């Protein structure tokens, strides 16, 4: 039971990203603005903090790899970056208070790092023609705003769920 | 931070970076073929996505149709006015079709770049990172889908099949910025002019149709269709309408901005088009690849 809850939850989040884009990506409303959901990364970061770091690193790699295979077809980008960012996140959170506001700020910083690194990689491979200023204004800022909203509305619930899962673990052992 | 660069971690970091670069290199090399484990994961994720997607899309469509109700009255008036011309037009089309068939029979020309076979499919997912304009559909190799087939909605061309797996495949939309995204197209008019669709202008929301001769005066609202000369696409799929023309960097040819007629966001059901006329073999096409 306890082993299944976390991967199941992460799978739901994984699919919800695609559904979110399908439902809300509408070029009439947001003419040029792109907002990319990174709910999966947020959930992974929180699980590293509230449940277990090493387990979360493994999940970060696995889900990142599935993400690469299914969505991007350039293997390794998200698998590597998800793992890196979850690692950096947990490293930083060791030194910081785990209040939800602090967690939100650090997780959003992680998303900024992810976006900038992916942009850099795509520029190197000439896979995008977006200029840096357009990237910042039309992509990075809306993305941060969207993920902030996600944290604002669901962060507390996810934390509750994770604390519940962790307590399950203790009683099982 | 002091224990960050201990031997074990440093080695782990270095090996993972090497692995990372190796993987990227590997996946950049092969563009259209997916390996067996990849296909397995694609199909599994695709199956789950398609199960979840159906009810979600039902809800979305419900709200969209509520929105449609508001404009229904205006639309009805407009369509009634239009339908009067329709009868006349359909008679004309019938006549022309018959005449065309007769002439073909006389010429003994049976195959045509316009002949196609159609597979229906629906969308199961859209790439959430939105760097690559890619959508995923619920038909794959088992349903006869192959790489580089044209994908259309009733309104017009939206893209081509990028990667095929057994039960799902991915579609690269016309708006995708990748270099391999090129389509041989024609501006339909008294005299057809062929050009290449290369790239997408994000600001103007228009496709760039390049290499049209400067002496050709392009008129607004002219239709742009696929030419079928690229080898894989059939002839006559509607792409969009001309908005404006401007001379290219060297002034020898002009670049025409084409507004795509299909909606790239509100897509539900799509059709995959295979032309029945055989394509030239890969060796004849330029090694640059990806030209449709």
């Amino acid at each position: 039971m306890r082993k299944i809850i976390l991967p199941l939850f992460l799978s739901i989040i994984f699919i919800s990203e695609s559904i979110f884009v399908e439902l809300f990506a509408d070029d009439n409303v947001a003419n040029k603005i792109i907002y990319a959901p990174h709910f999966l990364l947020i959930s992974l970061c929180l699980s590293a903090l509230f449940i277990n770091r090493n387990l979360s690193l493994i999940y970060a790699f696995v889900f990142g790899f599935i993400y690469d295979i299914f969505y991007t077809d350039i293997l390794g980008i998200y698998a590597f970056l998800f793992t890196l960012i979850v690692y950096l996140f947990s490293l930083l959170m060791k030194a910081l208070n785990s209040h939800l506001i602090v967690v939100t700020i650090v997780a959003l910083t992680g998303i900024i790092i992810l976006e900038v690194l992916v942009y850099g990689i795509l520029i190197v491979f000439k896979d995008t023609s977006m200029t840096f200023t357009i990237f910042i204004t039309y992509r990075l800022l809306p993305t941060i705003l969207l993920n902030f909203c996600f944290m604002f509305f669901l962060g507390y619930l996810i934390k509750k769920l994770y604390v519940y899962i962790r307590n399950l673990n203790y009683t099982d052992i | 931070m002091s224990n960050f660069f201990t031997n074990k971690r440093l080695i782990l970091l270095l090996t993972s970076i090497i692995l990372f670069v190796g993987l990227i290199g590997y996946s950049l090399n092969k563009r259209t073929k997916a390996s067996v484990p990849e296909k397995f994961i694609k199909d599994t994720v695709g199956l789950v996505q398609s199960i979840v997607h159906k009810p979600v899309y039902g809800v979305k469509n419900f709200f969209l149709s509520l929105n449609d109700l508001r404009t229904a009255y205006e639309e009805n008036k407009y369509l009634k006015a239009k339908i009067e011309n329709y009868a006349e037009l359909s008679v004309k089309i019938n006549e022309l079709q018959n005449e065309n068939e007769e002439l073909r029979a006389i010429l003994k020309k049976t195959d045509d770049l316009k002949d196609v076979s159609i597979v229906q499919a629906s969308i199961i997912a859209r790439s959430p990172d939105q760097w690559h304009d890619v959508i995923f559909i619920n038909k794959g190799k088992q349903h006869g889908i192959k790489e580089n087939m044209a994908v259309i909605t009733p309104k017009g061309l939206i893209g081509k099949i990028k990667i095929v797996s057994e039960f799902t495949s991915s579609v690269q939309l016309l708006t995708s910025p990748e270099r391999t995204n090129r389509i041989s197209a024609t501006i339909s008019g008294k005299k057809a002019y062929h050009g290449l669709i290369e790239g997408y202008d994000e600001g103007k929301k228009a496709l760039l149709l390049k290499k049209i001769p400067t002496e050709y005066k392009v008129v607004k609202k002219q239709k742009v269709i696929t030419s079928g000369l690229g080898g894989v696409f059939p002839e006559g799929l509607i792409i969009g309408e001309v908005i404006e023309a401007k001379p290219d960097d060297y002034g020898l040819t002009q670049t025409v901005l084409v507004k795509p007629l299909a909606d790239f966001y509100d897509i539900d059901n799509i059709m995959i088009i295979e032309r029945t006329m055989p394509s030239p073999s890969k060796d004849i096409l330029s090694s640059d690849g990806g030209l449709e």
Side-chain angles (χ1 to χ4, degrees):
Chain A
M1 177 66 183
R2 71 189 169 93
K3 276 185 183 160
I4 273 186
I5 297 182
L6 185 60
L8 194 70
F9 174 72
L10 291 175
S11 310
I12 292 169
I13 293 288
F14 180 86
I15 289 170
S16 80
E17 281 187 352
S18 158
I19 288 171
F20 179 87
V21 171
E22 180 73 14
L23 287 183
F24 295 101
D26 191 338
D27 68 344
N28 297 325
V29 183
N31 210 2
K32 282 190 259 174
I33 295 169
I34 302 167
Y35 32 85
H38 287 298
F39 308 153
L40 186 64
L41 184 65
I42 293 177
S43 310
L44 285 165
C45 285
L46 290 182
S47 81
L49 180 64
F50 292 117
I51 299 179
N52 182 334
R53 196 198 69 178
N54 288 345
L55 189 71
S56 301
L57 284 176
I58 293 169
Y59 281 138
F61 184 78
V62 170
F63 277 97
F65 208 61
I66 295 175
Y67 197 102
D68 282 330
I69 289 175
F70 194 75
Y71 293 126
T72 60
D73 293 319
I74 303 174
L75 302 180
I77 291 187
Y78 283 96
F80 182 76
L81 291 179
F82 276 5
T83 324
L84 182 76
I85 284 160
V86 172
Y87 183 72
L88 290 179
F89 176 86
S90 56
L91 211 65
L92 204 59
M93 285 316 292
K94 264 186 200 162
L96 293 171
N97 180 339
S98 67
H99 190 275
L100 214 52
I101 295 173
V102 182
V103 175
T104 307
I105 292 168
V106 179
L108 290 180
T109 317
I111 287 170
I112 295 173
I113 296 171
L114 175 80
E115 282 284 318
V116 171
L117 286 180
V118 171
Y119 176 71
I121 290 169
L122 292 180
I123 284 289
V124 168
F125 290 121
K126 293 197 174 65
D127 240 6
T128 180
S129 53
M130 201 183 266
T131 59
F132 192 67
T133 37
I134 287 181
F135 166 71
I136 295 285
T137 46
Y138 287 109
R139 190 182 160 106
L140 193 59
L141 288 178
T143 300
I144 294 167
L145 208 65
L146 169 72
N147 289 291
F148 173 74
C149 289
F150 177 79
M151 271 303 275
F152 185 79
F153 288 115
L154 295 174
Y156 181 69
L157 290 176
I158 294 176
K159 184 184 167 183
K160 277 234 152 182
L161 177 76
Y162 283 169
V163 170
Y164 171 73
I165 294 174
R166 188 180 57 185
N167 291 341
L168 268 186
N169 283 1
Y170 282 133
T171 50
D172 267 12
I173 299 162
Chain B
M1 277 314 257
S2 58
N3 64 346
F4 179 73
F5 286 111
T6 52
N7 265 342
K8 203 175 139 197
R9 283 187 194 174
L10 195 63
I11 287 168
L12 197 71
L13 186 72
L14 285 177
T15 31
S16 57
I17 285 178
I18 290 167
L19 205 74
F20 168 62
V21 174
L23 265 176
I24 288 184
Y26 164 74
S27 52
L28 279 179
N29 261 336
K30 43 112 226 184
R31 270 304 206 190
T32 54
K33 290 271 184 292
S35 60
V36 177
E38 271 179 85
K39 276 184 185 169
F40 177 73
I41 289 179
K42 271 173 192 287
D43 288 335
T44 320
V45 178
L47 180 72
V48 180
Q49 296 267 29
S50 60
I51 292 168
V52 178
H53 191 266
K54 278 233 166 71
V56 169
Y57 217 90
V59 173
K60 186 190 180 186
N61 275 347
F62 175 72
F63 283 106
L64 282 180
S65 57
L66 282 186
N67 214 11
D68 283 346
L69 278 180
R70 286 189 306 150
T71 52
Y73 178 72
E74 294 283 309
E75 233 167 48
N76 196 10
K77 262 207 276 189
Y78 174 73
L79 289 175
K80 263 187 190 155
K82 259 211 149 166
I83 211 159
E84 278 163 20
N85 300 326
Y86 178 76
E88 195 188 334
L89 199 68
S90 65
V91 171
K92 217 176 203 170
I93 287 174
N94 253 335
E95 260 172 41
L96 287 173
Q97 220 162 27
N98 288 340
E99 194 182 318
N100 194 336
E101 265 164 35
E102 276 166 31
L103 291 174
R104 264 170 200 285
I106 294 168
L107 281 173
K108 295 199 175 81
K109 181 176 185 300
T110 48
D111 44 0
D112 188 350
L113 281 175
K114 285 185 180 112
D115 291 340
V116 294
S117 64
I118 295 174
V119 181
Q120 302 270 351
S122 49
I123 290 182
I124 54 172
R126 186 183 276 274
S127 176
D129 78 338
Q130 293 179 62
W131 281 112
H132 307 88
D133 282 318
V134 176
I135 55 175
F136 301 87
I137 57 171
N138 64 349
K139 293 281 159 75
K141 204 174 158 194
Q142 297 291 329
H143 308 93
I145 310 290
K146 289 186 208 98
E147 285 97 20
N148 290 327
M149 280 184 180
V151 180
I152 63 167
T153 65
K155 285 184 197 158
L157 186 75
I158 57 166
K160 65 174 180 187
I161 299 282
K162 193 181 175 199
I163 292 180
V164 184
S165 122
E166 293 300 318
F167 300 102
T168 58
S169 27
S170 58
V171 178
Q172 184 177 43
L173 297 181
L174 286 178
T175 52
S176 188
E178 282 169 59
R179 279 171 300 132
T180 53
N181 208 6
R182 282 186 287 173
I183 292 155
S184 168
T186 307
I187 301 177
S188 65
K190 283 236 166 70
K191 187 173 185 326
Y193 273 96
H194 301 302
L196 279 179
I197 287 195
E198 287 177 32
Y200 183 70
D201 189 326
E202 288 276 353
K204 288 187 171 137
K205 297 251 153 218
L207 297 161
L208 304 174
L209 177 59
K210 292 183 179 170
K211 306 203 172 67
I212 296 287
T214 0
E215 64 265 23
Y216 184 50
K217 290 284 172 288
V218 183
V219 187
K220 249 189 174 182
K221 295 249 165 186
Q222 263 183 307
K223 294 273 188 290
V224 176
I225 56 175
T226 55
S227 69
L229 298 177
V232 186
F233 280 16
E235 188 188 340
L237 302 177
I238 289 187
I239 299 172
E241 279 176 353
V242 171
I243 354 180
E244 62 169 294
K246 60 183 183 194
D248 75 352
D249 299 344
Y250 308 106
L252 298 172
T253 57
Q254 55 183 339
T255 296
V256 178
L257 293 177
V258 179
K259 185 181 160 38
L261 283 175
D263 185 343
F264 292 108
Y265 288 89
D266 193 15
I267 317 166
D268 190 6
N269 290 309
I270 55 163
M271 284 165 274
I272 299 126
I273 304 283
E274 179 185 26
R275 73 172 196 188
T276 35
M277 190 125 145
S279 305
S281 73
K282 276 265 153 65
D283 320 327
I284 301 173
L285 294 172
S286 68
S287 57
D288 206 10
L291 173 60
E292 267 70 55

